Amino acid sequence: KTQSRLPPPPAASTMSEPATDVPPKEGGATADVTKTDKSDYYFFKSTPKELQKQYAPVPLKPGQQLDFTPRAQTLHESTLVKKDEERKKAEAAQKKFENGGGTNLSYSQIRKNAYDFRDKEHEVALEEPDKYDIGQKVVIHGLKKAAKFNDQVAEVLSEIKDGRYPVKIVESKKQLNVKRENLKMYRPVVCKEFVNIKLERGFRCTPELLFKALTDQDMVSKYTQSEAKIEVKEGGGFSLFGGSIHGSFQEASPPSKIVQVWRFKEWPDDHFSTVTLEISSPEYGVTVAKLNQVEVPVHDKFRNRDVPDKVKKGWKEFFFDRIHKVVGFAKVEKSEYSRKKKAKDDEEDED
């Protein structure tokens, strides 16, 4: 009974009938592919047994030819083709990058290309000096054992000793002794296009609590789930998301106003935007934060032109939304407190 339920095997001619209409190729054999009516598998006509063992059935269309070139040669050719495709893709991305567009390269390759692009920009105007002065900024490159420090900006601490310069990395403050050939002149990327960002969000809390949620180091670390260092005073510095965002306070007037100079580390070198946060309470239990960030660069130092969208998305998702969900200050729609504020103003006008 079990055997009667199985579909009959394909005709013997399907597996053994020689193919006369397909000439063999040099370096291998070819075969027609046909599909039986009672099976979902494809079988090869005139395929030798050793090739049947080497190549499993593949879903090819009826009538399509399959090249039985030896496996080692096929893999070698496919590797060459893949490398050629990767090379063309890298060249296209580099060309797009040099023309000021975005790129899909990896982060490390973007950093390398960014500094290469700077070298290309300044190769005529600026030449590498014979020696670096104390306090001069340089870029580290070509390190192998300490490759994580490549493409980072450093400051020369003293004159060359035994063929090495003592330098201090600007971001991490780490000191290294680097060979002369692993240093090159620091050439900043300058952005001449800027935009302003304005946001407004209502919270179900008091102004004092919202001011603390935006400036308290422990609270910010918890709802951003990252390292935060904040010194709330005029001239005090801050560092968020492990140093991805940093700056200093120009004004801290609790609970109504915060003014900061603020930047992403990927922004054009030494450029800071100015963030002004005004906190007010239009009615009891409702606090409104109005954010105004000016001089946000259109592109970063790697020529990616998504900086304004990234900044706006960061404020909404990693600060305001997190304060709602983690800290527990419920969101108040603008239409709600605007309507009540308008009604209150109308009553005062009538009085």
Side-chain angles (χ1 to χ4, degrees):
K1 291 183 179 180
T2 305
Q3 292 180 352
S4 63
R5 294 177 183 175
L6 296 175
S13 60
T14 306
M15 298 296 294
S16 59
E17 183 178 326
T20 58
D21 55 340
V22 181
K25 292 185 178 180
E26 294 182 5
T30 58
D32 252 352
V33 179
T34 185
K35 184 175 181 181
T36 61
D37 296 335
K38 299 180 180 180
S39 174
D40 292 333
Y41 293 98
Y42 292 88
F43 297 95
F44 302 136
K45 284 185 177 182
S46 68
T47 305
K49 291 184 179 180
E50 58 271 14
L51 289 180
Q52 288 184 5
K53 293 179 181 178
Q54 186 177 2
Y55 295 90
V58 292
L60 299 177
K61 297 180 180 179
Q64 186 176 354
Q65 295 182 2
L66 184 66
D67 185 4
F68 289 104
T69 307
R71 183 177 293 276
Q73 182 182 354
T74 303
L75 289 177
H76 176 67
E77 290 178 353
S78 64
T79 303
L80 294 179
V81 171
K82 185 177 180 180
K83 286 185 176 180
D84 187 58
E85 291 176 353
E86 290 178 353
R87 179 183 60 78
K88 291 179 180 179
K89 185 177 180 181
E91 289 177 354
Q94 177 68 16
K95 186 176 180 181
K96 184 179 179 182
F97 173 79
E98 293 179 355
N99 291 334
T103 177
N104 295 323
L105 297 176
S106 64
Y107 181 73
S108 59
Q109 187 65 33
I110 290 173
R111 290 179 67 90
K112 179 181 181 302
N113 288 347
Y115 288 105
D116 290 345
F117 184 69
R118 296 179 191 186
D119 292 343
K120 188 174 181 180
E121 274 187 322
H122 301 282
E123 61 184 358
V124 178
L126 297 175
E127 296 181 357
E128 288 294 326
D130 296 332
K131 65 176 184 177
Y132 298 113
D133 300 327
I134 298 175
Q136 184 175 353
K137 288 185 178 181
V138 293
V139 178
I140 301 172
H141 70 98
L143 298 181
K144 295 182 179 179
K145 293 184 178 180
K148 63 180 180 180
F149 299 116
N150 286 337
D151 302 326
Q152 296 202 28
V153 180
E155 184 178 340
V156 177
L157 298 178
S158 63
E159 295 182 356
I160 190 169
K161 297 178 182 178
D162 300 328
R164 294 175 179 267
Y165 276 98
V167 299
K168 180 176 69 175
I169 296 177
V170 173
E171 291 182 1
S172 64
K173 309 299 181 184
K174 187 174 181 63
Q175 296 187 13
L176 303 171
N177 291 322
V178 185
K179 292 181 179 179
R180 171 65 182 83
E181 56 265 26
N182 295 120
L183 296 175
K184 56 186 176 182
M185 187 184 298
Y186 168 71
R187 301 176 174 106
V189 171
V190 179
C191 181
K192 298 181 180 180
E193 299 177 71
F194 304 97
V195 297
N196 298 336
I197 294 175
K198 291 185 178 182
L199 297 172
E200 183 175 331
R201 184 66 67 92
F203 300 85
R204 189 74 65 182
C205 65
T206 62
E208 291 78 9
L209 290 175
L210 182 59
F211 186 92
K212 184 178 180 181
L214 292 169
T215 57
D216 184 79
Q217 180 173 300
D218 294 334
M219 289 185 70
V220 174
S221 296
K222 288 178 181 178
Y223 68 72
T224 59
Q225 299 179 351
S226 63
E227 182 184 3
K229 297 179 182 179
I230 303 175
E231 189 178 4
V232 189
K233 65 177 183 179
E234 186 176 345
F238 66 89
S239 174
L240 308 175
F241 301 100
S244 293
I245 298 173
H246 64 276
S248 61
F249 286 86
Q250 287 187 332
E251 181 181 345
S253 304
S256 59
K257 192 173 183 180
I258 301 170
V259 181
Q260 300 171 330
V261 287
W262 190 102
R263 67 172 267 114
F264 269 105
K265 68 178 183 180
E266 294 89 0
W267 283 10
D269 307 286
D270 303 326
H271 176 78
F272 286 83
S273 65
T274 302
V275 174
T276 303
L277 267 165
E278 296 181 344
I279 301 172
S280 61
S281 180
E283 61 178 279
Y284 178 76
V286 176
T287 299
V288 178
K290 293 183 179 180
L291 180 142
N292 184 25
Q293 187 166 1
V294 299
E295 293 189 354
V296 177
V298 172
H299 65 77
D300 60 17
K301 60 184 176 183
F302 307 121
R303 301 300 197 276
N304 295 311
R305 302 179 67 87
D306 59 349
V307 172
D309 293 336
K310 185 178 179 181
V311 172
K312 190 178 295 185
K313 182 180 179 181
W315 278 113
K316 290 180 179 179
E317 295 186 1
F318 293 98
F319 287 93
F320 297 159
D321 290 348
R322 295 279 181 91
I323 291 175
H324 294 318
K325 296 175 182 178
V326 180
V327 183
F329 300 160
K331 182 178 180 180
V332 182
E333 298 295 340
K334 183 177 180 180
S335 58
E336 181 180 347
Y337 61 79
S338 297
R339 184 174 62 252
K340 292 182 179 180
K341 185 177 184 300
K342 184 178 179 181
K344 185 177 179 181
D345 293 342
D346 292 342
E347 290 179 0
E348 292 178 353
D349 293 341
E350 291 177 0
D351 294 340

